Amino acid sequence: MEGGNPLKLYLNCIRNTLEAAMCLQNFPCQEVERHNKPEVELKTSPELLLNPVLICRNEAEKCLIETSINSLRISLKVKQADELENILAKKFLRFLSMRAEAFQVLRRQPVQGYDISFLITNYHCEDMQKNKLIDFIVQFMEDIDKEISELKLSMSTRGRLVATEFLKQFI
Amino acid sequence: MSMILLSSHSKYLLDILSNRVENAEGVDIERRWTEFSDVCYHIKGSSETPEFLNVSVSFPTPPEETEIEKGLPCGATEAVKVAYGVVVESIVPPDEGFSLTLKLDLSKLPKNKEKRNDMLVKIAAVREVVLGAPLKRILEHLASRTRAPAKDRVITLVHRPKECIFLIPREDKVTVIYPINFEDSIDTVLATSFLQDLAETRRSASLYSAPSCTWSSTPPAELDNATTESLSVNAGFFTFVILPRHVEGKKLDRTVWILSTFHAYVSYHVKVRFLCSYISTYTIMILDFWSSRRINA
């Protein structure tokens, strides 16, 4: 197996899985007349669901991809090295999830056991280009790690500035 | 970005006092408020006696190990007399629910406007005078490099309700140890990170003359004899080593104040700092996302 940047391998694996999974078609609800629901959320008809795929980067980071005939759900668990990153990640991702409409494909609540979730339906695929959608998700994942590290750094910088002012009082 | 350092007098109290002094005909006044969630004030004056004003203060209940005399920290009654002279008379016993009641005679204030203002500011800093009294006494010994009466013993002083700080006075330095506790679990993590940053910052070259600080998650060796209750913390222990140069001349009062309000300061910055960086970064992030990551058809 060729050695590659572990992050790149992880993202490539996710990208490939998404390309295979994102073949969605319209499917009116079998159970309720004239309703059209994302089957991956309902999970009531097993024949409409595909096997979920779990891609783990390591013990702490993983990605769950659940597919159905008309919808796809991607859930991410991001890296949290210490308590501080834990809090930052939680607050940050919750903030993003609350603004789900702006991102359209974001789910308001992450799936149980994960930090953030996407929900993509056949309608999204009709309105947007499939490869652009996949690019977005993969880019998002890359960016999250970066953002949390930056948040942590900015907190530390600010902390030092405040600490300097505090200690100067004694001099 | 304003660095707010807590000032030592209560601005609200000072306003009330200044108003009272400026308006020759007094009005009936009664106010009650809490400062930094641990000190309560109650002020009362009547229109019939405009030159008198009663100020009551309640201080946090000290934990069992601290030394108190008559419900106040050691040396406080003396410190009040020394600071305020004839202007203030301590009423014994204090009003119900309060640790200290002072009767102010505003007619005895210095006539000179500047000196009068200084006295009002000092009265508004009654918290500092009282709570800082034992600390001040120990640091005065350090400044004059004389033997403190309780040398080599670990002294406990009240800092917040049910919490104390530990002082170890020596002839050439005083070690001050704070057990740090926060109620909110998020505050605890942020405070720990801030305190670690603070200790780290002290190591930078330009601050070598500031007191040396260390943070540790376990109690420092000097506290081997303290009770386990006072040693249960969730954000570690923070230690300052105060040297004579930090308490000489005018610096004494300032150092006493800084040490007396250390926890309030940390608490304030934990909340403000997180909020500020959180909000500013998130706003930028969201705008970034919206503008550049839009999924185009």
Side-chain angles (χ1 to χ4, degrees), chain A residues 82-85 87-96 99 101-105 126-129 131-134 136-137 139-141 143-144 146-147 150-152 154-171, chain B residues 1 3 5-6 185-187 189-190 193-194 196-198 200-202 206-211 213 238 240 242 245-246 251 254-255 257-259 262 265 269 272-274 276-278 280-283 285-286 288-290 293-297:
Chain A
D82 55 31
E83 282 287 347
L84 189 57
E85 276 186 26
I87 292 179
L88 290 173
K90 206 161 66 168
K91 294 236 172 216
F92 174 59
L93 293 174
R94 199 171 140 259
F95 183 77
L96 288 183
R99 299 204 172 15
E101 323 84 70
F103 294 100
Q104 293 176 281
V105 294
E126 284 162 28
D127 289 339
M128 308 178 214
Q129 282 184 34
N131 53 338
K132 287 257 160 75
L133 255 175
I134 295 177
F136 172 74
I137 307 263
Q139 184 70 49
F140 192 96
M141 291 179 64
D143 285 344
I144 284 186
K146 203 168 50 142
E147 284 309 328
E150 266 177 38
L151 266 174
K152 193 172 173 192
S154 89
M155 274 189 66
S156 190
T157 310
R158 193 183 195 91
R160 275 158 210 265
L161 273 168
V162 166
T164 308
E165 286 306 310
F166 175 77
L167 290 170
K168 272 202 210 152
Q169 293 178 100
F170 288 101
I171 302 175
Chain B
M1 180 172 59
M3 295 296 166
L5 303 165
L6 308 175
S185 60
I186 293 183
D187 283 353
V189 173
L190 297 177
S193 141
F194 175 61
Q196 287 169 331
D197 280 341
L198 182 57
E200 192 60 50
T201 308
R202 165 58 181 68
S206 57
L207 293 169
Y208 68 87
S209 45
C213 335
F238 200 80
F240 283 102
I242 309 288
R245 64 158 170 257
H246 301 128
K251 292 198 204 152
R254 193 166 56 186
T255 301
W257 172 250
I258 296 170
L259 295 175
F262 184 58
Y265 179 80
H269 273 279
V272 168
R273 180 169 71 116
F274 185 64
C276 280
S277 57
Y278 175 91
S280 64
T281 317
Y282 285 16
T283 320
M285 245 249 80
I286 292 306
D288 200 6
F289 254 107
W290 285 352
R293 311 267 181 267
R294 212 169 303 136
I295 312 161
N296 298 311

Side-chain angles (χ1 to χ4, degrees), chain B residues 140-170:
Chain B
E140 265 166 1
H141 282 291
L142 178 67
S144 60
R145 295 186 210 234
T146 54
R147 277 176 86 104
K151 195 164 111 72
D152 286 353
R153 196 159 61 97
V154 174
I155 299 176
T156 36
L157 301 178
V158 67
H159 188 55
R160 289 165 77 226
K162 299 274 189 302
E163 255 180 47
C164 48
I165 59 176
F166 300 97
L167 280 113
I168 298 137
R170 304 243 186 287

